[in-house]
Amino acid sequence: MDFKAYYANQQKLVENYLKNRIAKKGISKVDEAMEYSLMAGGKRIRPILLMAAAEAVGSKGYNYLPVACGLEMIHTYSLIHDDLPCMDDDDYRRGRLTNHKVFGEAMAVLAGDGLLTLAFEVMLEQKNVDPKVLIETVRDMVGGQGLDLEFEGKKITPEELRKLHAGKTGALFIAAIRGGAHLAGANDQQLLALTKFADLLGLAFQITDDILDVEGTEEELGKPVGSDAKNHKSTYVTLYGLQAAHELAEKTVAEALECLEMFGENAEPLREITRLMTDRKK
């Protein structure tokens, strides 16, 4: 398959949907703050993962754009709040000033809250899906963010670190992939395989993120590097060392790809996205 063309097309679908949906503004400046972060670019990996998971079980991914774009709104809300001074205190995201540096802390909090609320509204616009399926698709990362704060500045075990990122980073990957499969009518065996794949993908993504916080540059990533060390966070690099973290990432990617064998060519977009996510500079 021509993956670059595939990804560009899916990305355009997501961008257009988000642009049209966020254009419905109210009377408050919070709408401007919401749009600032939502339309700041990015790979749109999570909504594209949802659509690719639906395709892995034989459906058309674009049929589920409302749910896919709702997940992107949840992700953006988490980034706005994660960058706040009371969280990671970062000044740049995707190559430009973070929301609170432009609109102030209070407005940034409201922008995040607004996107989280709008996400559920957008998901409810999904047609031809059982409401119970929509409920199962929705996840958020508030619990994981709470764990992040709880463990900040503390030495934690590998098991605690795994739990932290499963609740935070991994939650949306599972929501996207399992959600897309479930929306498309996946059977129990397919759901089990894709859920395991999503969990491993989230782990590989986080290990890669920890590595890039050490090896990457702000120009490459569009955000500050070294923030983990600044905030005294336990990461896969601090717990295992840089070389071992690289090896763990490679092992996890291989295990994730094994989960897709039963889907044949239908899962090729998921395979390519996995490589994109774990071999990245931004």
Side-chain angles (χ1 to χ4, degrees):
M1 68 176 297
D2 185 345
F3 178 69
K4 287 186 177 180
Y6 167 86
Y7 198 93
N9 181 67
Q10 301 299 82
Q11 200 171 35
K12 185 176 180 180
L13 288 173
V14 172
E15 290 291 337
N16 288 340
Y17 192 97
L18 290 172
K19 183 179 180 180
N20 291 334
R21 196 56 185 76
I22 201 68
K24 301 177 181 179
K25 291 184 173 64
I27 60 173
S28 170
K29 193 171 182 178
V30 70
D31 298 290
E32 182 183 344
M34 290 164 62
E35 183 178 27
Y36 176 83
S37 291
L38 185 63
M39 304 311 297
K43 288 188 172 70
R44 308 304 192 192
I45 284 175
R46 289 150 191 84
I48 295 175
L49 275 173
L50 187 147
M51 292 189 285
E55 291 162 7
V57 297
S59 188
K60 300 293 185 183
Y62 56 74
N63 288 336
Y64 310 107
L65 264 174
V67 177
C69 291
L71 278 174
E72 184 68 8
M73 291 176 177
I74 293 175
H75 174 56
T76 304
Y77 123 77
S78 76
L79 297 181
I80 294 173
H81 283 196
D82 208 43
D83 290 335
L84 287 168
C86 61
M87 297 289 188
D88 287 348
D89 193 17
D90 283 327
D91 292 344
Y92 288 90
R93 170 75 65 175
R94 291 173 175 165
R96 62 179 186 169
L97 289 170
T98 47
N99 198 288
H100 70 274
K101 298 298 291 185
V102 176
F103 298 94
E105 290 181 40
M107 190 62 70
V109 170
L110 291 175
D113 293 345
L115 282 171
L116 180 59
T117 303
L118 181 60
F120 296 114
E121 180 182 328
V122 168
M123 287 182 178
L124 289 174
E125 294 171 359
Q126 177 67 53
K127 306 294 184 183
N128 303 317
V129 172
D130 187 331
K132 292 181 180 179
V133 175
L134 285 178
I135 292 173
E136 290 189 28
T137 302
V138 175
R139 301 285 197 278
D140 65 51
M141 297 179 289
V142 174
Q145 184 65 68
L147 288 173
D148 197 19
L149 289 174
E150 179 183 341
F151 290 136
E152 192 166 292
K154 298 179 182 179
K155 290 184 177 180
I156 63 177
T157 66
E159 292 75 20
E160 289 173 327
L161 185 62
R162 182 77 173 88
K163 177 183 177 184
L164 163 62
H165 292 305
K168 187 182 179 185
T169 306
L172 274 192
F173 288 127
I174 292 175
I177 295 165
R178 181 180 171 85
H182 202 63
L183 289 166
N187 60 40
D188 290 344
Q189 185 181 12
Q190 291 171 325
L191 278 174
L192 182 64
L194 286 171
T195 301
K196 183 179 179 181
F197 163 74
D199 183 53
L200 290 166
L201 179 61
L203 174 59
F205 182 88
Q206 186 58 55
I207 298 170
T208 302
D209 218 44
D210 290 348
I211 292 169
L212 288 175
D213 195 64
V214 175
E215 294 186 338
T217 67
E218 186 168 334
E219 290 73 22
E220 291 171 334
L221 304 179
K223 63 179 181 179
V225 296
S227 60
D228 291 335
K230 180 185 73 173
N231 292 320
H232 306 291
K233 285 188 174 183
S234 292
T235 70
Y236 286 97
V237 173
T238 62
L239 287 181
Y240 292 96
L242 191 58
Q243 181 59 38
H246 273 289
E247 293 170 358
L248 181 59
E250 292 175 6
K251 178 176 179 289
T252 305
V253 168
E255 292 176 357
L257 293 175
E258 286 178 7
C259 297
L260 300 177
E261 290 181 0
M262 64 183 293
F263 299 98
E265 292 184 1
N266 284 347
E268 195 57 29
L270 286 178
R271 294 186 186 95
E272 291 291 342
I273 295 170
T274 299
R275 298 180 184 106
L276 173 70
M277 291 172 59
T278 55
D279 183 19
R280 60 195 163 95
K281 283 294 184 180
K282 56 184 178 179

